[in-house]
Amino acid sequence: MTAPFNTAPVPKAELHCHIEGAASPALVKAQAGKYNTDVSGFISGDSYVWSDFTEFLTAYDGAASLFRSEEDYALLARTYLEGIAAQNAIYAEIFVSPDHAAAAGLSHTAYFDGLAEGIRQASESSGIECRMIIVGVRHLGAEKVEAAAKLAASRPHPLITGFGMAGEERFGEVAEFARAFDIARDAGLGITIHAGELAGAESVRDALDHIRPSRIGHGVRAIEDGALVQRIADEGVVLEVCPGSNLALNVYPEISSHPFDRLRRAGVKVTLSSDDPPHFASSVGREYQMAADAWGYGAPDLTDFTRTAIEAAFVDPQTRAKLLGQLD
Ligand SMILES: Nc1ncnc2[nH]cnc12
Ligand SMILES: [Zn+2]
């Protein structure tokens, strides 16, 4: 038997990580100590505790509620980015949620400045590049998502380069959110949207028709419709695939039934991300290793996923060229 391929040295990039979902239980427990709060409802020992998507969102919101200052967010961003830089990640995009910051009593300015400070520190210590994508939360409704889009369109920080939507995909119709995305697109922001994770192929088709994104968060359930897979391949829409998340949330029962490799073979541009890493016992490094173990990828395939991510990244041409140069 040949030894498993060690993906550690492969340069990596992830386009899909929610910063509030990247807080480890240890960090959240430290924050709970700082703010004298009980987290036993959603953390037990070193693990988050939830059993379905709704409970996951409760744990996610509980963790987010414990980041209440600029310094808290600087610490969170730096910790996450230095952790993945140690796995040879050269680039990451983080989803940032002004609604979560506001719920924790933090101003938008303090939220973005804190995150940017953590990004600066991690970049200085490790060289990693990072950009922020503002997300609206779908289950808060179209008005809130539109407010998030207007905030993003006001270009509140130079590191904010994209707009997206997360949250409960089964809430409402995607057409209700089209105006928010029009506002963000008109402001020149990159566009991505969660679809085809909790809902099926029709949700991905609706997202393409009404939102016109260059990338889709997850998108994996497009596999349920062959014509749609062909359309995604033909249009060059990039999927931010998060296999570990899909397994943990039971979108697929095991890696052997996950469609990542089938999508790739159908000509779809695929990338690998961790989504909410400690909730799913994952990290970008683990996603690359899992994919190599499951589908036999070597360094050239895995580097291709990184190249696809950097080509689809919401960055300026100089930064893109610099990052692509790091793959040679
Ligand atoms: N996997 C996910 N799907 C939708 N919304 C999210 N917010 C954080 N993680 C999410
Ligand atoms: Zn996500």
Side-chain angles (χ1 to χ4, degrees):
M1 207 175 101
T2 52
F5 172 61
N6 177 10
T7 61
V10 172
K12 303 173 182 76
E14 70 173 338
L15 301 178
H16 190 126
C17 179
H18 302 259
I19 194 61
E20 285 82 7
S24 69
L27 179 56
V28 172
K29 284 201 287 192
Q31 293 293 117
K34 180 174 174 182
Y35 294 117
N36 198 18
T37 307
D38 176 27
V39 292
S40 61
F42 59 93
I43 291 179
S44 171
D46 291 335
S47 304
Y48 283 107
V49 182
W50 48 262
S51 61
D52 58 20
F53 186 74
T54 306
E55 280 185 27
F56 155 70
L57 282 185
T58 303
Y60 181 99
D61 291 348
S65 75
L66 291 164
F67 293 85
R68 300 179 179 176
S69 71
E70 203 169 315
E71 293 72 32
D72 292 346
Y73 268 105
L75 175 65
L76 173 54
R78 175 171 65 78
T79 307
Y80 156 68
L81 288 168
E82 288 183 346
I84 64 166
Q87 301 171 354
N88 279 318
I90 60 172
Y91 182 71
E93 280 175 17
I94 54 175
F95 291 129
V96 304
S97 170
D99 288 300
H100 281 89
L106 195 56
S107 74
H108 299 149
T109 314
Y111 182 50
F112 301 139
D113 286 351
L115 289 164
E117 174 59 16
I119 292 170
R120 189 196 64 73
Q121 290 172 3
S123 170
E124 194 172 283
S125 65
S126 70
I128 192 166
E129 283 281 352
C130 179
R131 296 293 183 272
M132 296 186 258
I133 299 173
I134 288 187
V135 285
V137 180
R138 183 166 179 156
H139 54 267
L140 297 183
E143 246 174 65
K144 285 270 193 192
V145 174
E146 212 169 298
K150 284 183 179 150
L151 174 61
S154 75
R155 296 304 195 115
H157 194 283
L159 292 177
I160 293 170
T161 56
F163 179 73
M165 184 165 73
E168 174 52 82
E169 188 186 346
R170 295 163 291 196
F171 179 94
E173 296 293 325
V174 78
E176 293 163 31
F177 303 94
R179 196 164 56 191
F181 283 89
D182 288 344
I183 292 166
R185 194 183 314 98
D186 288 350
L189 292 159
I191 299 293
T192 177
I193 178 170
H194 282 60
E197 177 197 22
L198 306 166
E202 70 293 344
S203 170
V204 178
R205 189 180 303 102
D206 284 351
L208 291 177
D209 289 344
H210 295 287
I211 307 298
R212 293 181 284 123
S214 63
R215 302 185 342 214
I216 289 184
H218 301 283
V220 285
R221 291 188 56 191
I223 200 72
E224 294 162 18
D225 179 335
L228 179 63
V229 170
Q230 190 61 51
R231 175 177 173 192
I232 294 169
D234 290 347
E235 294 183 6
V237 174
V238 172
L239 300 190
E240 305 155 4
V241 185
C242 310
S245 163
N246 297 152
L247 299 188
L249 287 167
N250 218 14
V251 178
Y252 298 101
E254 61 221 343
I255 194 76
S256 58
S257 51
H258 193 282
F260 180 87
D261 191 60
R262 279 177 283 150
L263 289 162
R264 169 180 171 267
R265 286 175 188 278
V268 173
K269 292 184 181 179
V270 286
T271 61
L272 287 165
S273 291
S274 64
D275 207 4
D276 304 283
H279 287 270
F280 308 138
S282 193
S283 64
V284 67
R286 193 168 117 70
E287 296 295 331
Y288 274 65
Q289 189 63 54
M290 222 168 28
D293 294 346
W295 298 297
Y297 301 138
D301 299 309
L302 296 166
T303 307
D304 266 351
F305 304 144
T306 305
R307 186 173 292 106
T308 301
I310 291 170
E311 283 169 355
F314 299 150
V315 285
D316 56 276
Q318 291 81 3
T319 305
R320 195 185 321 281
K322 182 196 82 170
L323 291 165
L324 288 172
Q326 288 175 251
L327 302 185
D328 296 336

